[in-house]
């Protein structure tokens, strides 16, 4: 017998890329308005991806299509794990696998821009992965479980207990969405010293796949952020969207920083916030270690 | 290629250009990178060379005004003005006083346009999209004044031999005044971003340092030299109406990217002030003296372009064609300095450092 | 009309290459993307990577050296693509017609689909040129 | 209070401007849909008035881009709008005032067209 929840999760899984594309469109619109422009229509990301799908690709290495599919597939898998109540840690690792795919794509090409982009993407991974794991750990400390299903059924909202971990998720979102100040590996507008960075060698349908994968990853991080108000999914998503707005605001208020600065900032800020948060929990008796 | 045959220390070579979104113009800079640091730069130019100097000898000397104007689209008025000044000297043509003031107004307007363009492109090169957009939005004020003056947003085409071929009426002057006030207000609002914002400072302070002695040795000009503490400004030679105006060159001593940034930012305010002063002091009268002679002899003109010293050496031989028209542009003088300041910095600093000397390749190669 | 064709008309990513212009047109192309004209309304993005571009926007009269770079960019850009020559000198050489080192027009190097007149071309004209190029793209698709 | 003030000072400087433009109207002219009036004196295309032209070739002589060709014997003028740099020097030079400047700029095209004018005798 298929339960209601399973059906809901399956629908959400199918809707995830569309939601991601829509969020990207809203992001581009808000960014444009912040720059006092009109901005593209909200459906613009879908036009872009459809067009890329129909364009004849330039395949520079044989690995490229497989890895592009891999990026999309693993991103999908991580969202699926989240929706079907999987393990937070395995979600983080699956997401990292997707990242490995795109790094391999860019490293396997001859272009120096792509190579440098891949290297910087590795540094992005180096900044985000520990923060994701720490975030998951701090959730574990409160709820005594890594399983999303158990976290969701935890009796009280997590945010008052874990404000630090929530901010850390915001930093992860900033890096994951490739927004200033941390858009070191690639940027949507390509006004950057390494042109399109990791995306340089992608074209046609491989680029479309990676673009959709990127949307899904954004949805993934936002859903993790929404867990912080687990009892009520609507409040949770409201929080996640507020985080998205803060990220867009940061994108427009900062220049791009160097990758060294990115690693330093994210580690220092991330570790400090999580440590302070855990300390607070112990002091207030919210959790026992 | 056999992997094992490679030396242990592999240097990556990055060809930066000729097509690159950070630089709208084609120049190739081949960077040798070692462990994310630039160890060598080889500039590779010639993508824009058109042979304007030769064409100046083939044309009628009056047509050259339009051609010289198109040496560079950004500072087009200054090129036309320098050429006209040279020909006026060779033909003993007196320029009316009002025309002199109008030339100063329009050349300062060019400088304003160029510096705002640069501030925007620089913001873009450090990945500050929104600042780029806001600066370019404010730049439209200058362009709309250009359009009202001469009917075109970029190429003013108002400079002619013997004066200027457009006059300003009362209405336009008041529009200029209100436009300058609006622009000043809007740029003042953005100025703290360049002065104080910590993230901008993080990208600019201490990057691409050019000490004063080195700048002198390499012959840097314009804001690149002024950012290194050299108070060099050709406007102090007092050409056109500059001798009647009151100003001091903007100088910063640090010699890094931030200093060059501040020099240009402060020159924006200086230009606004100069334009206002000119509009106040402008005398009435004709704007054009007809010239009936052919250029004869040789002369040298030096004027201050937004990027530095512009040098025209025009030789005539008493016919309608010139014997020689030699143009030396500021970016050419700044390329040795550019190559020097890039070495030793990170790959991520390449874009701001290259932008900091404001390379204008179409001037450089002509 | 096919879905992909419709999407193609709404998302022209441009590759800008200057092969010898005076900068006038180049800054106007950038100005067309900034707040006053904001070509991003029409989906225009200055992508800078030939492999992902749909519209090649060329300025300048082309000289032997930049022609080589231009030709390689044209070959790197996958189909379907259109070329827009912006400015008088990209169309015919314009004021540089008798300079020694110019070919006098981009169409001597690569096939050009749309010519935009003006020196420098205004942002309005450039946007019109892009829209005309898109119509050509549609014709190429058989739409 | 001092700490709060310090934090505000150190806040990124761009946020104020960015938020204000988010809430105010964008500066965009919706160009292809809304066509603004051309500014007075815009240097647009030119056209020849053949009733006035006396084929003196003055405009051909001054044209910096050689976009005007006048054939005196056949009474024909060829004007290349895609070579023209729209400097309007010809308009100022023409003694007969036979060249009419327009404020409408020339639109883009698939082909480089040439405008041909002929004297009706």
């Amino acid at each position: 017998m298929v339960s209601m929840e399973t059906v809901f999760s399956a629908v959400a899984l199918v809707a995830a890329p569309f939601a991601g594309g829509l969020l990207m469109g809203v992001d581009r619109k808000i960014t444009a308005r912040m720059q006092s422009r009109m901005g593209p229509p909200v459906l613009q990301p879908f036009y872009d991806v459809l067009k890329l799908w129909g364009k004849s690709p330039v395949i520079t290495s044989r690995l490229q299509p497989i890895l592009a599919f891999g990026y999309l597939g693993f991103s999908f898998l991580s969202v699926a794990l989240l929706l079907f109540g999987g393990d937070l840690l395995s979600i983080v690792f699956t997401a990292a696998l997707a990242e490995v795919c795109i790094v391999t794509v860019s490293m396997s090409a001859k272009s120096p821009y792509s190579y440098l982009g891949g290297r910087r993407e590795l540094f992005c991974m180096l900044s985000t992965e520990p923060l994701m794991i720490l975030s998951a750990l701090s959730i574990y400390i409160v709820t005594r479980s890594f399983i999303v299903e158990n976290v969701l059924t935890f009796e009280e909202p997590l945010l008052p207990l874990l404000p630090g971990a929530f901010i850390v998720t915001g930093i992860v979102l900033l890096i994951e969405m490739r927004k200033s100040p941390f858009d070191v590996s690639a940027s949507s507008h390509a006004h950057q010293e390494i042109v399109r960075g990791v995306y340089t060698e992608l074209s046609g349908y491989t680029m479309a796949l990676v673009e959709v994968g990127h949307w899904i990853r954004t949805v993934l991080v936002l859903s993790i952020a929404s867990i912080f108000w687990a009892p009520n999914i609507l409040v949770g998503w409201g929080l996640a969207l507020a985080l998205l707005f803060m990220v867009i605001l940061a994108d427009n208020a900062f220049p791009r920083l160097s990758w060294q600065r990115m690693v330093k900032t994210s580690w220092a800020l991330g570790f400090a916030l999580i440590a302070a948060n855990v300390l607070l929990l112990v002091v207030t008796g919210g959790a026992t270690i | 290629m056999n992997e094992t045959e490679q030396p242990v220390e592999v240097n990556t070579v990055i060809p930066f250009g000729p097509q690159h979104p950070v630089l709208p113009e084609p120049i190739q800079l081949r960077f040798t990178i070692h462990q994310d640091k630039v160890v060598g730069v080889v500039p590779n130019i010639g993508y824009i060379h058109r042979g304007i100097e030769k064409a100046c000898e083939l044309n009628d000397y009056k047509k050259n005004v339009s051609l010289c104007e198109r040496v560079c689209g950004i500072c087009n008025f200054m090129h036309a003005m320098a050429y006209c000044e040279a020909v006026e000297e060779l033909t003993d043509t007196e320029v009316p006083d009002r025309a002199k003031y109008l030339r100063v107004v329009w050349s300062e307007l060019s400088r304003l346009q160029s510096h705002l363009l640069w501030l925007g492109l620089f913001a873009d090169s450090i990945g500050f999209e929104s600042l780029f957009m806001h600066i370019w939005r404010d730049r439209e004020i200058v362009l709309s004044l250009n359009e009202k003056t001469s009917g075109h947003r970029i190429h003013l085409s108002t400079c002619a031999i013997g004066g200027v071929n457009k006059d300003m009426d009362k209405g336009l002057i008041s529009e200029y005044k209100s436009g300058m006030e609006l622009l000043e207000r809007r740029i003042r609002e953005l100025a703290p971003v360049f002065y104080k914002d910590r993230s901008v400072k993080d990208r600019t302070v201490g990057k691409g340092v050019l000490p004063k002695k080195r700048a002198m040795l390499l012959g840097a000009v314009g804001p690149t030299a002024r950012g290194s503490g050299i108070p060099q400004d050709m406007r102090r030679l007092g050409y056109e109406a500059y001798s009647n105006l009151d100003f001091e060159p903007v100088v910063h001593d640090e010699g890094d990217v931030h200093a060059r940034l501040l020099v240009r930012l402060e020159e924006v305010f200086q230009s606004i002030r100069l334009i206002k002063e000119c509009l106040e002091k402008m005398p009435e009268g004709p704007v054009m003296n007809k010239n009936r002679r052919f250029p004869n002899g040789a002369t040298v003109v030096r004027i201050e372009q937004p990027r530095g010293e512009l040098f025209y050496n025009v030789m005539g031989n008493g016919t309608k064609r010139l014997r020689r028209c030699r143009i030396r542009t500021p970016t050419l003088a700044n390329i040795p300095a550019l190559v020097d300041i890039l070495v030793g910095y990170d790959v991520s600093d390449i874009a701001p450092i290259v932008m900091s000397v404001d390379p204008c390749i179409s001037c450089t190669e002509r | 009309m096919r879905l992909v064709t419709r999407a193609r008309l709404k998302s022209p990513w441009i590759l800008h290459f200057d092969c010898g212009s005076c900068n006038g047109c180049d800054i106007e192309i950038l100005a067309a993307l900034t707040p006053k004209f904001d070509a991003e309304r029409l989906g225009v993005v200055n992508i800078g990577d030939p492999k992902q571009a749909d519209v090649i926007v060329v300025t300048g009269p082309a000289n032997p050296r930049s022609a080589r770079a231009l030709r390689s960019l044209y070959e790197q850009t996958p189909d379907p693509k259109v070329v827009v020559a912006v400015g008088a000198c990209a169309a015919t050489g314009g004021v540089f017609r008798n300079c020694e080192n110019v070919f006098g027009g981009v169409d001597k190097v690569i096939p050009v689909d749309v010519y935009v007149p003006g020196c420098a071309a205004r942002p309005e004209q450039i946007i019109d040129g892009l829209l005309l190029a898109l119509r050509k793209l549609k014709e190429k698709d058989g739409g | 209070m001092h700490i709060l003030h310090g934090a505000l000072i150190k806040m990124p400087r761009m946020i104020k401007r960015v938020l204000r433009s988010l809430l105010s109207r964008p500066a965009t002219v919706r160009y292809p849909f809304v066509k603004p009036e051309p500014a007075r004196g815009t240097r647009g295309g030119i056209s020849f008035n053949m009733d006035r032209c006396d084929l003196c070739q003055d405009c051909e002589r001054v044209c910096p881009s050689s976009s005007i060709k006048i054939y005196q014997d056949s009474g024909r003028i060829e004007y290349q709008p895609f070579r023209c740099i729209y400097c309007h020097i010809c308009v100022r030079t023409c003694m007969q005032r036979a060249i009419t400047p327009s404020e409408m700029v020339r639109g883009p095209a698939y082909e480089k067209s040439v405008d041909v004018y002929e004297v009706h005798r």
Side-chain angles (χ1 to χ4, degrees), chain A residues 35-63:
Chain A
Q35 299 169 350
S36 79
R37 300 186 280 131
M38 292 269 293
V42 178
L43 293 181
Q44 188 63 40
F46 295 101
Y47 300 140
D48 288 349
V49 161
L50 266 174
K51 175 208 71 178
L52 284 168
W53 186 261
K55 213 165 153 57
S56 59
V58 183
I59 306 293
T60 44
S61 73
R62 262 177 295 168
L63 279 172

Side-chain angles (χ1 to χ4, degrees), chain B residues 18-19 21 24-26 44-52 54-55 58-59 63 66-67 70-74 113 117 121 132-134 136-137 139-140 143-144 147 151-155 360-362, chain C residues 15-24 26-28 30-31 33-37 40 46-50 61 63-66 69 73 95-102 118-124:
Chain B
Q19 185 274 326
E25 296 169 278
N44 204 345
I45 63 172
Y47 291 94
I48 300 205
H49 178 62
R50 291 153 291 192
I52 289 180
K54 181 68 186 165
L58 303 174
N59 279 351
K63 282 187 193 175
S66 294
L67 185 59
R70 281 159 181 82
V71 168
C72 172
I74 301 172
Q113 194 258 103
L117 171 123
L121 285 180
F132 163 65
M133 292 291 181
H134 280 280
W136 275 58
R137 179 193 167 184
R139 180 174 162 267
E140 292 289 334
L143 294 187
S144 74
E147 180 152 25
H152 197 281
R153 286 159 50 89
I154 303 290
H155 287 292
C360 174
I361 314 301
S362 98
Chain C
L15 171 78
H16 163 225
F17 185 63
D18 170 358
C19 54
S21 92
C22 72
N23 273 352
D26 306 279
I27 52 182
E28 291 292 61
L30 276 183
L33 294 164
T34 47
K36 179 144 182 213
F37 295 98
E40 206 186 339
N46 185 6
I47 205 72
D49 184 355
N63 65 18
R65 188 158 198 190
S66 61
L73 284 174
V95 74
F96 304 126
R97 81 214 177 279
N98 61 355
C99 292
E100 51 174 5
N101 197 31
V102 302
C119 183
R122 285 152 195 278
E124 291 102 327

Side-chain angles (χ1 to χ4, degrees), chain A residues 113 191 193 252 256 260-261, chain B residues 15 124 126 130 202-203 346:
Chain A
Y113 293 131
H191 280 208
E193 64 273 12
N252 282 295
R256 178 186 313 122
Q260 292 96 325
R261 185 74 56 172
Chain B
D124 197 41
I126 57 171
S130 61
D202 186 65
R203 291 302 302 275
D346 274 6

Side-chain angles (χ1 to χ4, degrees), chain A residues 79 82 95 132 168-174 176-177 215-228 237 240 243:
Chain A
V79 174
L82 184 77
M132 297 266 268
V168 166
T169 317
I171 298 172
V172 171
L173 184 67
L174 199 63
E176 200 59 63
M177 280 183 82
W215 299 349
I216 295 172
R217 289 178 70 83
T218 308
V219 172
L220 174 75
V221 183
L222 284 175
S223 339
I224 291 177
S226 75
I227 289 178
F228 282 87
W237 269 95
L243 204 60

Side-chain angles (χ1 to χ4, degrees), chain B residues 184-245:
Chain B
E184 185 166 11
R185 210 167 51 237
R186 295 194 64 105
I187 300 294
R188 281 237 183 271
E189 211 180 279
L190 288 178
V193 181
F194 292 111
Y195 274 112
K196 288 179 190 154
D197 193 292
R198 285 181 66 186
S199 47
V200 172
K201 279 177 111 172
D202 186 65
R203 291 302 302 275
T204 52
V205 174
K207 303 282 163 71
V209 179
L210 182 67
K212 187 172 180 178
K213 276 198 177 141
R214 194 86 188 132
M216 281 192 173
L217 190 72
L218 295 170
V221 293
T224 312
R226 290 200 284 277
S228 296
I230 304 173
Q232 181 212 50
D233 194 333
M234 290 306 136
R235 285 178 288 179
R236 298 227 288 192
L237 293 175
Y239 61 88
E240 302 302 343
Y242 280 114
S243 48
N244 307 335
L245 299 173

Side-chain angles (χ1 to χ4, degrees), chain B residues 105-319:
Chain B
V105 169
W106 288 328
S107 60
E108 288 303 320
L109 207 63
S110 290
R111 192 185 315 281
L112 210 52
Q113 194 258 103
S114 169
H115 280 354
L116 289 177
L117 171 123
W118 180 84
L119 286 172
L121 285 180
F122 180 80
D124 197 41
S125 79
I126 57 171
F128 211 152
E129 275 267 312
S130 61
L131 186 55
F132 163 65
M133 292 291 181
H134 280 280
I135 296 247
W136 275 58
R137 179 193 167 184
D138 299 344
R139 180 174 162 267
E140 292 289 334
I141 298 170
V142 179
L143 294 187
S144 74
L145 283 179
N146 272 355
E147 180 152 25
K148 277 171 192 155
T149 314
S150 72
H152 197 281
R153 286 159 50 89
I154 303 290
H155 287 292
L156 279 165
S157 298
T158 45
C159 203
I161 294 163
V164 291
N165 56 29
K166 280 254 164 65
D167 199 357
M168 276 195 212
D169 54 9
K170 285 249 160 52
L172 196 57
I173 288 179
S174 70
E175 267 182 63
Y176 262 70
K177 279 180 183 158
S178 59
M180 285 304 120
E181 244 134 59
L182 177 65
L183 185 67
E184 185 166 11
R185 210 167 51 237
R186 295 194 64 105
I187 300 294
R188 281 237 183 271
E189 211 180 279
L190 288 178
V193 181
F194 292 111
Y195 274 112
K196 288 179 190 154
D197 193 292
R198 285 181 66 186
S199 47
V200 172
K201 279 177 111 172
D202 186 65
R203 291 302 302 275
T204 52
V205 174
K207 303 282 163 71
V209 179
L210 182 67
K212 187 172 180 178
K213 276 198 177 141
R214 194 86 188 132
M216 281 192 173
L217 190 72
L218 295 170
V221 293
T224 312
R226 290 200 284 277
S228 296
I230 304 173
Q232 181 212 50
D233 194 333
M234 290 306 136
R235 285 178 288 179
R236 298 227 288 192
L237 293 175
Y239 61 88
E240 302 302 343
Y242 280 114
S243 48
N244 307 335
L245 299 173
D246 177 34
F247 71 98
E248 283 292 315
V250 180
V251 177
H252 278 263
D253 295 327
E254 294 82 5
D256 55 2
V257 174
H258 195 240
R260 295 194 271 279
L261 173 67
L262 294 187
V263 165
R264 291 197 176 91
L265 183 64
E266 281 162 26
E267 279 185 8
V268 166
F269 298 124
Q270 189 189 43
S271 288
I272 292 175
R273 200 173 51 73
L274 281 176
I275 290 175
K276 280 190 199 159
E277 197 180 329
C278 265
L279 293 174
E280 290 295 326
K281 285 186 179 171
M282 194 151 59
E284 293 296 322
V287 291
M288 179 83 149
N289 274 341
K290 276 277 182 234
N291 142 56
R292 308 255 173 238
R293 295 166 62 184
F294 289 132
N296 199 359
T299 188
V300 160
V301 168
R302 299 161 77 192
I303 67 168
E304 183 75 13
Q305 228 198 357
R307 290 161 184 79
E309 177 195 355
L310 175 67
F311 173 97
Y312 265 69
N313 180 3
V314 179
M315 296 177 214
N317 52 6
T319 65

